[in-house]
């Protein structure tokens, strides 16, 4: 099992020191707005995906001894090499691996692991030590360092109704957009515009209440970003058919935005729940199938428009599962896990 210090790993995961995998990626990342900017797509596998049944050590007898019911038979494993292979639902990801367009990090964890979903997710999203609490996320701090005062919230988008800790900075944060059209419609409600206009007209002196100033600033940024995102969401419409799943719809929206010329550099989305304490086989297989099918069309879409080499997709989960199956044909909370990196710019 490989243990990587969290900050060191997240530097790799966020491409701060990933030149061995994606050459010159960060240099383009640091440019504020590009005609074809580099893009990072983060997929959170919520609930603690079982890494051992995702990347399977099919030649290890201890694996089958510990998982007599839920172990994946050797004959069904998509073999990557002589010792490990992918879950049978990950057919498209296996093809990407064979093409040199997918690499994996095995056994990724952090010291003194926490098996609470909420705390472990906070640790991953904030890049904190397990014993410390941080109120900003690692993507948010990137925005603070590189984009503060030079960009808008649309530089980092989360495909959801609420913003995760990962995208929250001290001064600059991303924005949660579940549906660009819906956000645009809500933001153009007469009430919100009237409130903002009234504040602007009456605000000759700064508001003595910092919280009120922050709320008005957030409202103004949201209104501006909603208009900007919505206009770009209409520029490019894919001709490919994405799966009719949550992750399929999210990756379709992301692909269309990437190809619209929008300034967004980081996209964040979630797939779950992978909390498979009971009857794990069916639930995990279904979720991995959703991941595989959506990523397959997403990659084809980017390739068709020459954007795959400029995009890196990475997956992570807050923790893995224990080696031994439990009495309910599932697995309980564990520690280290595997991660996937998908891009047309990888060095195999």
């Amino acid at each position: 099992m490989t243990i990587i210090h969290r900050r060191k790993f997240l530097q790799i995961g966020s491409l701060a020191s990933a030149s061995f995998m994606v050459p010159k990626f960060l240099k383009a990342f640091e440019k504020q707005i590009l005609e074809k900017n580099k893009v990072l797509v983060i997929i959170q596998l919520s609930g603690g995906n079982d890494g051992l049944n995702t990347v399977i050590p099919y030649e290890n007898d201890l694996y089958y001894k510990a998982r007599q019911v839920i172990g994946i038979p050797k004959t069904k494993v998509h073999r990557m090499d002589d010792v490990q292979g992918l879950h049978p639902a990950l057919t498209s990801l296996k093809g990407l691996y064979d093409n040199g367009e997918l690499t994996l990090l095995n056994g990724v964890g952090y010291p003194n692991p926490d098996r609470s979903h909420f705390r472990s997710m906070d640790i991953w999203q904030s890049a904190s030590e397990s014993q410390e609490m941080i109120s900003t996320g690692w993507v948010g701090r990137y925005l603070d360092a590189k984009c503060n005062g030079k960009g808008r919230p649309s530089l980092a988008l989360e495909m959801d109704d609420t913003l995760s800790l990962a995208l929250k900075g001290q001064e600059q944060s991303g924005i949660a957009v579940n549906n660009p059209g819906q956000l645009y419609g809500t933001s153009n409600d007469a009430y919100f515009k009237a409130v903002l206009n009234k504040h602007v007209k009456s605000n000759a002196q700064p508001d003595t209440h910092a919280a009120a100033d922050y709320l008005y600033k957030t409202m103004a940024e949201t209104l501006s970003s909603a208009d900007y995102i919505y206009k770009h969401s209409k520029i490019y419409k894919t001709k490919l058919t994405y799966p009719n799943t949550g992750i399929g719809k999210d990756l379709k929206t992301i692909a269309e935005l990437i190809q619209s010329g929008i300034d967004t550099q980081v996209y964040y989305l979630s797939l779950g729940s992978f909390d498979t304490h009971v009857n794990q086989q069916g639930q995990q297989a279904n979720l991995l199938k959703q991941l595989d099918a959506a990523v397959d069309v997403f990659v084809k879409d980017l390739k068709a428009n020459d954007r795959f080499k400029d995009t890196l997709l990475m997956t992570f989960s807050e923790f893995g599962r224990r080696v031994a199956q439990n009495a309910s044909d599932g697995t309980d909370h564990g520690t280290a896990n595997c991660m996937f990196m998908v891009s047309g710019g990888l060095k195999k």
Side-chain angles (χ1 to χ4, degrees):
M1 179 180 296
T2 302
I3 301 297
I4 301 178
H5 189 280
R6 187 174 317 100
R7 286 200 176 96
K8 184 67 174 177
F9 166 71
L10 286 177
Q11 285 178 338
I12 296 172
S14 62
L15 307 179
S17 61
S19 58
F20 69 97
M21 290 192 296
V22 191
K24 300 180 181 178
F25 205 102
L26 181 62
K27 290 182 180 179
F29 230 60
E30 291 177 349
K31 297 178 182 178
Q32 299 305 319
I33 299 177
L34 299 175
E35 184 178 352
K36 288 189 176 182
N37 58 302
K38 302 292 184 177
V39 175
L40 174 64
V41 180
I42 305 166
I43 302 180
Q44 171 184 303
L45 304 181
S46 302
N49 178 43
D50 180 16
L52 277 177
N53 271 20
T54 302
V55 180
I56 303 153
Y58 67 88
E59 284 295 343
N60 193 321
D61 293 338
L62 294 177
Y63 164 78
Y64 290 103
K65 184 177 180 180
R67 300 183 168 209
Q68 296 183 19
V69 175
I70 69 169
I72 307 297
K74 291 183 182 181
T75 56
K76 295 185 177 180
V77 174
H78 293 306
R79 301 188 179 194
M80 305 173 78
D81 53 38
D82 293 337
V83 296
Q84 64 182 354
L86 294 177
H87 189 284
L90 299 176
T91 303
S92 297
L93 293 191
K94 174 57 165 56
L96 292 175
Y97 176 80
D98 292 341
N99 291 338
E101 297 165 341
L102 178 149
T103 190
L104 65 92
L105 298 177
N106 261 331
V108 180
Y110 57 87
N112 304 311
D114 193 303
R115 289 186 172 90
S116 161
H117 288 291
F118 302 104
R119 179 61 191 139
S120 189
M121 187 60 76
D122 280 349
I123 291 168
W124 268 92
Q125 292 190 354
S126 66
S128 67
E129 298 292 347
S130 56
Q131 74 278 7
E132 65 178 341
M133 305 293 289
I134 296 180
S135 60
T136 59
W138 61 274
V139 176
R141 294 196 297 276
Y142 164 77
L143 297 176
D144 281 344
K146 298 298 181 182
C147 309
N148 190 28
K150 301 177 183 178
R152 64 179 90 221
S154 58
L155 289 172
L157 298 183
E158 179 163 6
M159 308 309 294
D160 205 333
D161 292 323
T162 58
L163 193 67
S164 296
L165 174 61
L167 277 66
K168 295 180 181 178
Q170 190 68 40
E171 301 294 336
Q172 184 95 12
S173 296
I175 187 170
V177 183
N178 193 29
N179 182 309
Q182 186 177 32
L183 178 66
Y184 175 78
T186 302
S187 67
N188 277 274
D189 186 279
Y191 173 78
F192 293 113
K193 290 194 171 183
V195 170
L196 189 59
N197 288 334
K198 182 178 180 181
H199 172 71
V200 171
K201 291 178 181 179
S202 63
N203 197 30
Q205 298 296 327
D207 199 308
T208 56
H209 300 287
D213 274 345
Y214 172 78
L215 290 174
Y216 282 119
K217 176 177 178 290
T218 301
M219 182 186 294
E221 289 178 343
T222 301
L223 294 179
S224 173
S225 296
D227 182 67
Y228 176 74
I229 295 167
Y230 177 65
K231 287 179 179 177
H232 277 78
S233 73
K234 298 191 297 180
I235 291 175
Y236 171 84
K237 293 298 180 183
T238 181
K239 297 179 181 178
L240 300 183
T241 301
Y242 280 76
N244 189 28
T245 59
I247 187 172
K249 293 174 183 177
D250 286 345
L251 285 180
K252 177 183 178 182
T253 299
I254 291 171
E256 290 178 341
L257 287 173
I258 288 174
Q259 284 143 190
S260 74
I262 197 171
D263 63 1
T264 307
Q265 297 179 348
V266 181
Y267 295 90
Y268 195 100
L269 64 154
S270 301
L271 172 66
S273 169
F274 284 89
D275 196 17
T276 51
H277 291 280
V278 179
N279 298 325
Q280 174 176 299
Q281 286 180 306
Q283 183 174 346
Q284 188 193 31
N286 178 55
L287 290 170
L288 291 180
K289 184 178 180 180
Q290 290 183 39
L291 173 69
D292 188 76
V295 170
D296 179 44
V297 183
F298 180 70
V299 168
K300 290 176 180 176
D301 210 348
L302 296 184
K303 284 183 175 180
N305 292 276
D306 195 28
R307 293 308 312 271
F308 187 44
K309 67 178 182 299
D310 297 321
T311 303
L312 175 70
L313 180 150
M314 61 170 274
T315 68
F316 83 96
S317 197
E318 65 263 41
F319 46 62
R321 317 297 292 189
R322 299 190 185 187
V323 175
Q325 67 179 59
N326 60 29
S328 302
D329 294 338
T331 51
D332 298 321
H333 299 178
T335 55
N337 210 335
C338 60
M339 297 179 62
F340 292 126
M341 304 280 184
V342 176
S343 177
L346 297 178
K347 284 188 174 180
K348 188 173 182 179

